[in-house]
């Protein structure tokens, strides 16, 4: 049943999209660990903090990727179930019409029995494997009355249409079954990865957890510095653009494109306001609000609040707008991460975004460099 499976984005990049050198946020932090005592192998044979952090981060990444596959399968399941229900309803209506046509032919058979008329044996027709073949003989058809011919034509038409719709319904049910299998597999993968991550973290002592938290703080500080640098670059570029516009218009700012920019800014402000109101709510895989969200559920809900309908998954959201460079990112743009485009955040300016980060975390503001520059996949303007 390969036809129902959606292909995923490959590692190829279009113009303006950065090519990640590393696949996960965990790998981007190896340099930090290698310079710390936490990275040294434990004497008792236990994995080092570096190894634990890498494994946990990789498990969370795999869980998030499986979450997006789950979201895609769940969306397909909903569409296919509606299609199957509609087909089954159609089959039922057609079967009812077929039964009426069969009943009319049956009345002709009863009349033949009562009168002994020498018209073609309608009873034999009703029992035939191929009713159409039975009446394909011209000499038989020529002996039917116009009413009988109409009844035969109606019966054959209804039988053919009903069989066709039954076949369509069967194929749709098979496709739905395949998608449900995908849904179950993705759900099982998420649950397995999260359970493995929890098990690894449960082995850490309080002191080890504290050191791990300190490492994460250092990473966040480094990401904040990168975000500040991006903000300075964007501010400088905006100043240059404004200066050029004033020069080109003889001292007044050009109005070219200002209407479009203003409309986008208005929608983006609504999306950001919604996202900011969700800060502190938990990441829950497959969730679309209002009490919890996964990453794409948050971006979809935020832009819905601005009157813009986005697809459910990161795989589709990345294609639902215009790709721009990170240097040209505006508040409201969607920032996508990783080669498999399995994470998304809502850019709010100054190198920062609002996102639902990962299992066990909460919706928060964070630098777009939270996992290193190499994992940034692309920036998309959705409206």
């Amino acid at each position: 049943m390969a036809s129902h499976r959606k292909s995923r984005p490959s590692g190829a990049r279009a113009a303006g999209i950065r090519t990640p050198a590393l696949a996960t946020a965990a790998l981007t932090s190896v340099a930090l660990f290698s310079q710390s005592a936490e990275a040294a192998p434990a004497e008792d044979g236990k994995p080092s903090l570096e190894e634990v952090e890498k494994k946990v981060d990789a498990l969370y990444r795999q869980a998030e990727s499986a979450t997006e596959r789950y979201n895609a399968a769940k969306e397909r399941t909903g569409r296919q179930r509606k299609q199957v229900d509609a087909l089954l309803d159609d089959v039922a209506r057609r079967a009812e019409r077929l039964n009426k046509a069969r009943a009319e032919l049956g009345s002709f058979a009863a009349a033949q029995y009562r009168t002994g008329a020498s018209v073609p044996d309608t009873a034999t027709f009703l029992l035939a494997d191929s009713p159409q073949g039975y009446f394909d003989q011209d000499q038989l058809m020529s002996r039917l009355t116009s009413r009988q011919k109409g009844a035969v034509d109606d019966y054959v038409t209804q039988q053919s249409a009903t069989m066709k719709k039954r076949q369509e319904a069967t194929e749709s049910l098979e496709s739905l079954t395949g998608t449900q299998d995908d849904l179950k597999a993705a759900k099982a993968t998420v649950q397995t990865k999260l359970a493995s991550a929890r098990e690894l973290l449960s082995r850490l002592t309080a002191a080890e957890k504290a050191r791990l938290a300190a490492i994460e703080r250092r990473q966040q500080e480094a990401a904040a510095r990168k975000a500040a640098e991006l903000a300075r670059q964007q501010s400088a570029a905006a100043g240059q653009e404004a200066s050029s516009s004033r020069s080109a218009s003889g001292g007044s700012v050009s109005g070219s494109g200002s209407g479009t920019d203003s409309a986008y800014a208005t929608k983006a402000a609504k999306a950001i306001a919604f996202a900011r109101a969700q800060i502190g709510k938990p990441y829950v895989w497959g969730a679309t609000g209002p009490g919890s969200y996964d990453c794409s559920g948050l971006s979809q809900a935020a832009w819905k609040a601005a009157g813009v309908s986005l697809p459910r998954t990161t795989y589709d959201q990345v294609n639902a707008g215009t790709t721009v460079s990170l240097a040209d990112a505006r508040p409201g743009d969607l920032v996508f991460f990783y080669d498999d485009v399995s994470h998304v955040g809502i850019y709010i300016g100054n190198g920062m975004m609002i996102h639902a980060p990962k299992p066990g975390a909460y919706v928060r503001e964070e630098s777009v460099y939270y996992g290193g520059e190499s994992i940034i996949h692309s920036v998309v303007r959705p409206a």
Side-chain angles (χ1 to χ4, degrees), residues 145-165:
T145 67
S146 60
R147 184 184 174 193
Q148 288 173 324
K149 287 179 181 179
V152 169
D153 288 341
D154 184 49
Y155 179 83
V156 171
T157 298
Q158 296 300 336
Q159 184 188 54
S160 176
T162 302
M163 290 176 65
K164 182 178 179 181
K165 287 298 179 181

Side-chain angles (χ1 to χ4, degrees), residues 29-54:
S29 61
V30 170
L32 279 174
F33 286 119
S34 64
Q35 298 171 7
S36 65
E38 288 88 345
E43 294 181 358
D44 59 2
K46 289 173 60 178
S48 66
L49 282 181
E50 175 194 7
E51 293 169 334
V52 171
E53 201 274 349
K54 285 172 63 178

Side-chain angles (χ1 to χ4, degrees), residues 94-108:
R94 291 180 183 278
E96 185 177 356
R97 289 197 291 269
L98 180 63
N99 288 335
K100 289 180 180 178
R102 183 182 290 114
E104 186 168 5
L105 288 175
S107 68
F108 294 150

Side-chain angles (χ1 to χ4, degrees), residues 148-361:
Q148 288 173 324
K149 287 179 181 179
V152 169
D153 288 341
D154 184 49
Y155 179 83
V156 171
T157 298
Q158 296 300 336
Q159 184 188 54
S160 176
T162 302
M163 290 176 65
K164 182 178 179 181
K165 287 298 179 181
R166 280 176 179 162
Q167 181 62 31
E168 287 182 26
T170 299
E171 292 173 356
S172 293
L173 281 169
E174 290 174 353
S175 181
L176 176 59
T177 299
T179 304
Q180 288 174 327
D181 289 343
D182 287 349
L183 194 65
K184 292 176 183 177
K187 182 176 181 178
T189 298
V190 174
Q191 292 173 330
T192 298
K193 299 301 181 184
L194 294 182
S196 297
R198 286 193 294 268
E199 198 274 333
L200 280 172
L201 290 172
S202 70
R203 299 179 191 175
L204 298 179
T205 65
E208 287 172 330
K209 290 178 180 178
R211 291 200 300 273
L212 203 56
I215 292 170
E216 185 174 353
R217 283 195 298 272
R218 291 200 295 271
Q219 292 172 328
Q220 291 173 345
E221 289 167 0
R225 288 192 293 272
K226 288 282 291 181
E229 176 59 28
L230 175 61
R232 284 192 292 272
Q233 292 173 358
Q234 290 177 328
S235 179
Q240 269 190 335
E241 184 178 352
S243 177
S244 298
S245 296
R246 284 193 296 271
S247 298
S249 59
S252 61
V253 178
S254 171
S256 175
S258 59
T260 301
D261 292 346
S262 176
Y264 179 77
T266 299
K267 293 178 181 178
K270 292 180 181 178
I272 292 171
F274 178 92
R276 188 165 276 124
Q278 312 315 308
I279 289 176
K281 293 183 179 180
Y283 175 104
V284 174
W285 67 274
T288 57
S292 58
Y293 297 89
D294 63 19
C295 66
S296 57
L298 177 63
S299 56
Q300 183 188 49
W303 271 101
K304 182 179 180 180
V308 176
S309 179
L310 289 182
R312 173 65 181 95
T313 69
T314 54
Y315 307 131
D316 293 323
Q317 288 179 7
V318 75
N319 296 316
T322 303
T323 300
V324 298
S325 69
L326 182 59
D328 292 329
R330 295 180 187 174
D333 291 352
L334 302 180
V335 185
F336 294 90
F337 299 86
Y338 306 109
D339 280 346
D340 61 355
V341 199
S342 58
H343 188 67
V344 63
I346 303 165
Y347 191 66
I348 59 174
N350 297 323
M352 302 293 288
M353 66 179 175
I354 297 173
H355 69 149
K358 60 184 178 182

Side-chain angles (χ1 to χ4, degrees), residues 52-72:
V52 171
E53 201 274 349
K54 285 172 63 178
K55 288 179 180 178
V56 169
D57 198 43
L59 287 166
Y60 280 153
R61 277 279 303 109
Q62 292 162 11
E64 190 171 40
S65 183
T67 293
E68 289 304 311
R69 292 196 298 272
Y70 170 87
N71 291 339

